[in-house]
Amino acid sequence: MKIIGISVICFAVASYGFLYTLSISFRIKALSEMIEFNLYFKNNIRFKSDDIISLFKDFKPKYNTFLKAYSNNFDLHIKESSLNEAETAAISAFLSELGKSDVIGQTEHCEHYITIFQRLKDDAKSELIEKGRLSKSLSLLASAALFILLI
């Protein structure tokens, strides 16, 4: 029974690093989806006479993780996600200014936020490379040390 308890504790410690890496991967997917939506919106706003809500509904993202929650309760979804403050602020600023100008202003708006989301995505990728492997290794090492110490 003692071994089972120790194993559960060690598993919990080891899973922390993997969960951290998973949260960074979600951030990368969400930012990729925002870039994909910006490109879709920029290309379709000139050719479709639909409103913004129709463009959101017609958009079929590759990952289908983040923007589908926009129609439900976006504010709650964005607060519960693993996005950091800069990413949350960028997404909120993009969506709050969407549809408030003419077609040329909207395409410039999309181009501006494509560069912002690409920079944030590159930052998240570098964080995954730098901290992802480290957090996995440290959590596994801590788990192994804890297992040896408690047995």
Side-chain angles (χ1 to χ4, degrees), residues 4 18-19 21 39 61 66 76 78-80 86 94 104 108 132:
I4 293 172
F18 291 94
L19 289 175
T21 304
L39 291 170
F66 188 68
L76 181 65
I78 200 168
K79 289 176 185 172
E80 291 178 350
F94 167 71
I104 295 170
E108 291 172 355

Side-chain angles (χ1 to χ4, degrees), residues 3 6-7 10 142-151:
I3 300 285
I6 293 171
S7 299
C10 291
S143 174
L146 188 66
F147 186 76
I148 291 170
L149 196 71
L150 292 177
I151 285 190

Side-chain angles (χ1 to χ4, degrees), residues 18-90:
F18 291 94
L19 289 175
Y20 179 74
T21 304
L22 188 65
S23 70
I24 296 174
S25 297
F26 173 79
R27 288 174 41 205
I28 293 171
K29 286 181 182 179
L31 291 168
S32 296
E33 193 171 319
M34 288 303 298
I35 293 169
E36 190 180 345
F37 175 73
N38 272 320
L39 291 170
Y40 172 80
F41 187 78
K42 185 178 96 169
N43 292 334
N44 286 316
I45 194 165
R46 291 180 186 236
F47 304 113
K48 288 188 172 184
S49 60
D50 296 342
D51 59 348
I52 294 173
I53 303 300
S54 299
L55 288 173
F56 265 107
K57 290 179 181 176
D58 293 343
F59 176 62
K60 303 287 188 248
K62 181 167 63 171
Y63 298 114
N64 199 20
T65 57
F66 188 68
L67 281 175
K68 68 179 180 177
Y70 183 74
S71 60
N72 298 335
N73 191 352
F74 184 75
D75 292 330
L76 181 65
H77 183 70
I78 200 168
K79 289 176 185 172
E80 291 178 350
S81 69
S82 59
L83 297 170
N84 63 24
E85 290 181 23
E87 296 160 350
T88 304

Side-chain angles (χ1 to χ4, degrees), residues 120-135:
L120 290 171
K121 181 181 168 186
D122 292 341
D123 291 346
K125 281 184 177 180
S126 66
E127 184 179 346
L128 181 65
I129 291 169
E130 293 172 3
K131 296 180 182 176
R133 179 179 282 169
L134 178 67
S135 66

